[in-house]
Amino acid sequence: MKKTLFLLLPFAGLLWVPLYNRHDPSLFGFPFFYWYQLAWVPVTSVLIWMAWKSDRQS
């Protein structure tokens, strides 16, 4: 169950576009729209690792 939750979080975070379809706050000159999506790349990697780890322990 935890594995499924770890793998569904990136979908939930990225498929709801009105959540991040805005300019502010900007980070290093990047509008929120872009850096929010880029921030999900490492977060997704960690979530996939956590899913793999939880699957391995069960």
Side-chain angles (χ1 to χ4, degrees):
M1 185 65 183
K2 284 178 19 181
K3 175 180 150 185
T4 305
L5 180 64
F6 290 144
L7 296 176
L8 286 178
L9 276 175
F11 286 106
L14 290 171
L15 285 180
W16 193 18
V17 178
L19 175 70
Y20 59 91
N21 188 14
R22 54 191 158 125
H23 187 272
D24 292 326
S26 61
L27 180 69
F28 305 117
F30 288 98
F32 182 73
F33 181 78
Y34 292 113
W35 71 257
Y36 177 82
Q37 293 177 71
L38 288 173
W40 273 102
V41 173
V43 170
T44 302
S45 299
V46 170
L47 289 171
I48 290 172
W49 176 79
M50 290 170 67
W52 173 77
K53 195 75 169 173
S54 69
D55 187 43
R56 193 169 176 204
Q57 290 175 351
S58 60

